Amino acid sequence: MPPSWKDIRAILLDLDGTLYTAEGTIPGAVEAVWALRTRGLAVRFVTNTTTRSCRALAERLNRMGFPAEPAEIYTPAWAAGRFLRQRQARAYLLVPEGAREDLEGVLDEEERPDYVVIGDLGEAWTFERLNRAFRLILEHGAGLIGLGRTRYWRAADGLRLDVGPFVAALEEATGQKAMIFGKPDPGFFWMVLEDLGMPPEQVAMVGDDIEIDVGGAQAVGMRGILVRTGKFRPADLSGPIRPDAVLASVAELPAWLG
Amino acid sequence: MPPSWKDIRAILLDLDGTLYTAEGTIPGAVEAVWALRTRGLAVRFVTNTTTRSCRALAERLNRMGFPAEPAEIYTPAWAAGRFLRQRQARAYLLVPEGAREDLEGVLDEEERPDYVVIGDLGEAWTFERLNRAFRLILEHGAGLIGLGRTRYWRAADGLRLDVGPFVAALEEATGQKAMIFGKPDPGFFWMVLEDLGMPPEQVAMVGDDIEIDVGGAQAVGMRGILVRTGKFRPADLSGPIRPDAVLASVAELPAWLG
């Protein structure tokens, strides 16, 4: 018998495009999050942002009216910090300031690190930094961790390279595959589930990205719910990924869960 | 009946590792090149160098005692220059000074180029330059040309990223495959053959790199001769690529051809 929606004990929510957009909060989203919590569901937030810390993201959500603690927010930097601290690993951190806060307690080490961690450095990328990362991986055997694999994003002045192309450059140079922390990487979702202490059958991910949110969640056995807000396009529904549910917006979720 | 070595009318020679190394010329190499020419074979030089122009490479070879004209030397920049001039294409040139000379006559254009051409810029790489290349390809439909796909090289102070990782970064960012000019790309070898005016059955490539020189040549139907100088390692002979001949050095070539 397939698992029923009655078994769901936790809801993972994407942020941008699901709870809010550049225009503000999605109508009904704040009420929906309150309603989910009221009925006893665990509510968590899963985002690929690396320029804001969990603490800064929680403050931002709170200002918008969403109840959220920093410990309820999962980011690539949170996952990398957890991974590295568990191993007491030293790391060369090529990450934006916002990510650095969630990597607190990780031993920052430029000479003999166990891992090189790269995020969206933007203008702070230099040949010297990329070449140092390359040498640490190829010559000293450091592992490569990417805070996501986003290819680019739209800044005020136009498109800008994100972390993905730099991950690709280091993979090509070293012949080593990067570990990616962030959606849709299965390892990242497993860390979230481990932190929640729940099996995937009891968890549903809600997001506006058919591949990253829905496909990523389904790949580890969670249910994936697509919302028609944010970057949603009708063509998303004719691809190979079949959402477990499609809702007009997150506002419909409490009623839909019944 | 398989083609005989008697059909060979041209010899393509790799430079570094085949004619000379950091220690100087390979013993007997100068005499070998003279001997090949004396018996009426066309001798050409095929290298992936992008930091020296064909003219500068010819001067360098001449100083070492090798007879060589600039027009007898094939480099990635030569190929890109030929390709772009034939099409009267405008290009955004992210290449070292040495390559620029062989791209003379190409319309340099930063705003609406038909192609972005990237070489080993080293320290001159900046986020702004890489991001401009990215936007020109993704937003304005420019093609991507890489002057080779070498991953790294050994400089005096250690390993340094070459052009390959930056090609990979732009491919990942844009979803577009680069055109690669340089060994072992088949298109590059075909341009050399076209310039020679000979079919591949009449041409042999001699080099110290089992993949780039031997495998690349064989892939277009030329013969590939491996020399045990330069970067040669015995393990090269247990891989999937079978050289048509293996010689101790290029000095043996004239006698071996018989």
Side-chain angles (χ1 to χ4, degrees):
Chain A
M1 207 172 81
S4 144
W5 289 97
K6 300 289 175 206
D7 300 330
I8 293 293
R9 290 176 52 215
I11 300 287
L12 306 181
L13 295 165
D14 171 51
L15 297 184
D16 194 7
T18 301
L19 296 185
Y20 53 80
T21 66
E23 279 79 53
T25 55
I26 303 281
V30 168
E31 296 77 4
V33 172
W34 282 105
L36 294 170
R37 289 203 193 263
T38 301
R39 71 174 66 183
L41 290 166
V43 175
R44 299 291 184 272
F45 307 89
V46 185
T47 173
N48 274 358
T49 300
T50 63
T51 48
R52 282 195 171 88
S53 68
C54 293
R55 184 190 48 74
L57 285 166
E59 284 173 9
R60 188 159 190 242
L61 285 169
N62 291 339
R63 277 196 303 275
M64 292 177 172
F66 298 102
E69 298 288 327
E72 293 171 342
I73 298 178
Y74 298 112
T75 66
W78 163 82
R82 179 182 165 110
F83 176 90
L84 294 166
R85 282 187 298 265
Q86 279 179 344
R87 286 156 184 76
Q88 296 189 290
R90 293 159 303 168
Y92 177 45
L93 302 178
L94 282 169
V95 302
E97 270 314 302
R100 208 165 268 275
E101 190 178 312
D102 291 318
L103 288 161
E104 221 174 71
V106 172
L107 298 159
D108 198 346
E109 157 72 48
E110 296 207 353
E111 301 299 329
R112 285 286 183 281
D114 303 303
Y115 293 92
V116 170
V117 183
I118 74 168
D120 175 21
L121 276 191
E123 300 286 350
W125 275 116
T126 61
F127 179 82
E128 193 272 337
R129 284 182 165 151
L130 196 64
N131 204 59
R132 175 184 287 268
F134 156 65
R135 288 184 185 180
L136 291 171
I137 298 165
L138 192 76
E139 299 192 300
H140 303 298
L144 172 59
I145 293 176
L147 298 186
R149 194 162 190 137
T150 308
R151 292 155 65 205
Y152 55 85
W153 57 285
R154 187 170 294 278
D157 72 333
L159 298 184
R160 287 171 67 89
L161 296 166
D162 204 297
V163 63
F166 295 93
V167 169
L170 290 172
E171 287 184 337
E172 170 106 353
T174 62
Q176 188 189 127
K177 285 294 283 178
M179 300 175 60
I180 301 296
F181 291 122
K183 300 180 285 184
D185 185 70
F188 176 66
F189 277 121
W190 282 116
M191 285 175 77
V192 172
L193 289 167
E194 189 184 80
D195 196 68
L196 269 172
M198 292 184 195
E201 302 79 38
Q202 296 179 351
V203 183
M205 170 84 213
V206 183
D208 65 324
D209 190 307
I210 182 82
E211 288 181 22
I212 284 180
D213 295 317
V214 176
Q218 291 178 336
V220 297
M222 292 193 286
R223 269 165 275 187
I225 300 176
L226 188 67
V227 288
R228 295 177 189 265
T229 49
K231 70 174 75 167
F232 171 82
R233 296 286 172 275
D236 294 346
L237 296 174
S238 24
I241 299 169
R242 303 280 164 205
D244 293 285
V246 182
L247 304 179
S249 93
V250 71
E252 290 188 354
L253 185 60
W256 187 84
L257 282 171
Chain B
M1 206 170 80
S4 145
W5 288 97
K6 300 290 177 208
D7 300 330
I8 293 294
R9 290 173 53 212
I11 300 288
L12 306 181
L13 295 164
D14 171 53
L15 297 184
D16 194 7
T18 300
L19 297 184
Y20 54 79
T21 66
E23 278 80 50
T25 56
I26 304 283
V30 168
E31 295 78 2
V33 172
W34 282 106
L36 294 170
R37 290 205 192 262
T38 302
R39 69 174 64 185
L41 289 167
V43 175
R44 299 292 184 272
F45 307 89
V46 184
T47 173
N48 275 358
T49 301
T50 63
T51 50
R52 282 194 172 88
S53 67
C54 294
R55 184 189 49 73
L57 286 166
E59 283 172 11
R60 187 158 189 242
L61 285 169
N62 291 338
R63 278 196 303 274
M64 292 177 171
F66 296 104
E69 300 287 329
E72 294 170 343
I73 298 177
Y74 297 111
T75 66
W78 164 81
R82 179 183 165 109
F83 176 90
L84 294 166
R85 281 188 298 265
Q86 280 180 344
R87 285 158 185 75
Q88 297 187 289
R90 293 160 302 167
Y92 177 46
L93 301 177
L94 283 169
V95 302
E97 271 313 303
R100 208 166 268 274
E101 189 176 313
D102 292 319
L103 288 161
E104 222 175 71
V106 172
L107 298 160
D108 200 344
E109 158 69 49
E110 297 207 355
E111 300 301 327
R112 284 288 183 281
D114 303 302
Y115 293 92
V116 171
V117 183
I118 74 168
D120 175 22
L121 276 192
E123 300 286 350
W125 274 117
T126 61
F127 179 83
E128 193 273 337
R129 284 182 164 150
L130 197 63
N131 204 59
R132 175 186 286 269
F134 156 66
R135 289 183 184 181
L136 290 172
I137 298 164
L138 192 75
E139 299 191 301
H140 303 299
L144 172 59
I145 292 176
L147 298 186
R149 195 162 190 138
T150 308
R151 292 155 64 204
Y152 55 85
W153 59 285
R154 187 171 293 279
D157 72 332
L159 298 185
R160 286 170 69 88
L161 296 166
D162 205 298
V163 63
F166 296 91
V167 169
L170 289 171
E171 286 184 337
E172 171 106 354
T174 62
Q176 186 188 128
K177 285 293 284 179
M179 300 177 59
I180 301 297
F181 291 121
K183 300 179 287 185
D185 184 72
F188 177 66
F189 278 121
W190 281 116
M191 285 175 77
V192 172
L193 288 168
E194 189 184 81
D195 196 68
L196 270 171
M198 293 184 196
E201 301 79 38
Q202 296 179 349
V203 183
M205 170 83 214
V206 183
D208 64 324
D209 190 307
I210 182 80
E211 287 180 23
I212 284 180
D213 295 318
V214 176
Q218 290 178 338
V220 296
M222 293 193 285
R223 269 165 276 188
I225 300 177
L226 188 68
V227 288
R228 294 177 190 266
T229 49
K231 71 175 72 166
F232 172 80
R233 296 288 172 274
D236 292 345
L237 297 174
S238 22
I241 299 170
R242 303 282 166 204
D244 293 285
V246 182
L247 305 179
S249 94
V250 71
E252 289 188 355
L253 185 61
W256 187 86
L257 283 171

